[in-house]
Amino acid sequence: YVVLADGGANLRSAPSVDAPKIGAIAEGASVEEGIAEGDWIHVKTYLGSGYMHVSTLRPYLHDSIEW
């Protein structure tokens, strides 16, 4: 996934807006997907592991290569 949210998105310690914020992940940064929990996805980032809301992410699509 890639962070889509303008200005970045919060990485949280649990799948809730009330959970403590671990940090902010920059817009355009890629994150490694883990387990989905409702509208939240557990991800691995450059700040460590945590939860991000699905509305702040989009799937990472590789550029197609023509041979």
Side-chain angles (χ1 to χ4, degrees):
Y1 282 89
V2 174
V3 176
L4 179 64
D6 288 339
N10 292 327
L11 179 67
R12 297 195 177 272
S13 61
S16 168
V17 294
D18 297 323
K21 187 171 116 174
I22 295 170
I25 306 300
E27 179 182 1
S30 61
V31 299
E32 186 177 329
E33 175 188 4
I35 299 169
E37 293 187 32
D39 289 339
W40 296 83
I41 299 177
H42 187 263
V43 296
K44 292 181 183 176
T45 75
Y46 56 82
L47 290 179
S49 294
Y51 292 86
M52 298 183 77
H53 195 268
V54 295
S55 67
T56 65
L57 301 169
R58 69 173 168 85
Y60 177 79
L61 303 174
H62 296 281
D63 292 334
S64 60
I65 300 172
E66 291 187 30
W67 297 95

